[in-house]
Amino acid sequence: MKLERALFKISVKETIFLAIFLLIVLNGVIFIFSVVIGKPSISISGSGWISQIALPIVLAMTQTLINRNGVLKCEEFNDAATLTKKINSLILKKGYISSDSELDKIKYVRKTKLARQLNFIFREEINVRIIDNSISIFGKRNVLESLRMNLKYDRTI
């Protein structure tokens, strides 16, 4: 079996969504902490702008740089049905469920409702397409790398 992984370019839209989410969460925690102390404010004095603005932006950029979208192509395999079942079981064990299934296309989303709501920001859905003698798995780099290693060394999670 031949496995090829290719990563796509960095998504600017995804980086912006993640940066805004991190800015809101971090500044919300800082505001709640300042309310508990008794001095409600939305900024930390001095050089607080680094932790309030720069840190979420840099974190969002590095996260999207490392965990980019990509595709894992499986070719030159013996039995498509057994390989599809194995891919399905590996994805289900990672905490995904099948949301939309057609003859040649399967879409997986996160199992919990909160994770499905946060999918707008993190975009962690997996799409599997079966075309002739090739299976293409579209998803994030971390998930694709784990699937590739499990398929390459014929392991289960």
Side-chain angles (χ1 to χ4, degrees):
M1 176 171 34
K2 183 178 175 184
L3 298 169
E4 293 179 15
R5 186 197 71 189
L7 297 176
F8 302 143
K9 292 181 181 181
I10 298 171
S11 172
V12 176
K13 182 179 176 183
E14 186 176 331
T15 306
I16 291 171
F17 282 148
L18 187 58
I20 291 171
F21 175 74
L22 291 174
L23 282 167
I24 290 171
V25 168
L26 181 67
N27 289 319
V29 169
I30 290 171
F31 179 72
I32 290 171
F33 184 70
S34 68
V35 168
V36 170
I37 290 176
K39 298 177 183 177
S41 67
I42 57 171
S43 66
I44 300 174
S45 61
S47 62
W49 67 271
I50 294 173
S51 64
Q52 283 185 293
I53 297 170
L55 183 67
I57 292 172
V58 170
L59 190 63
M61 289 171 63
T62 56
Q63 177 65 25
T64 54
L65 180 68
I66 293 170
N67 199 17
R68 295 186 292 187
N69 291 324
V71 61
L72 177 67
K73 291 184 181 180
C74 305
E75 297 172 337
E76 299 176 10
F77 48 85
N78 296 331
D79 189 18
T82 57
L83 182 61
T84 306
K85 286 180 184 178
K86 184 167 184 169
I87 290 171
N88 186 27
S89 69
L90 289 171
I91 292 174
L92 292 177
K93 287 181 182 179
K94 289 203 161 292
Y96 288 87
I97 58 173
S98 177
S99 69
D100 187 22
S101 182
E102 294 178 11
L103 185 59
D104 60 344
K105 192 176 2 176
I106 306 168
K107 182 179 180 181
Y108 296 94
V109 294
R110 286 288 189 176
K111 192 179 286 186
T112 62
K113 288 183 181 182
L114 177 63
R116 279 182 268 170
Q117 295 297 326
L118 291 176
N119 191 37
F120 179 73
I121 297 166
F122 298 118
R123 303 189 185 270
E124 292 183 337
E125 62 186 30
I126 299 173
N127 294 314
V128 178
R129 291 190 187 143
I130 304 165
I131 302 170
D132 296 331
N133 293 330
S134 174
I135 297 176
S136 299
I137 306 167
F138 296 89
K140 293 286 189 178
R141 177 196 165 272
N142 294 344
V143 173
L144 294 178
E145 194 62 32
S146 175
L147 287 173
R148 186 175 74 87
M149 285 297 155
N150 286 321
L151 291 173
K152 183 176 180 180
Y153 296 111
D154 198 28
R155 294 182 293 191
T156 58
I157 298 175

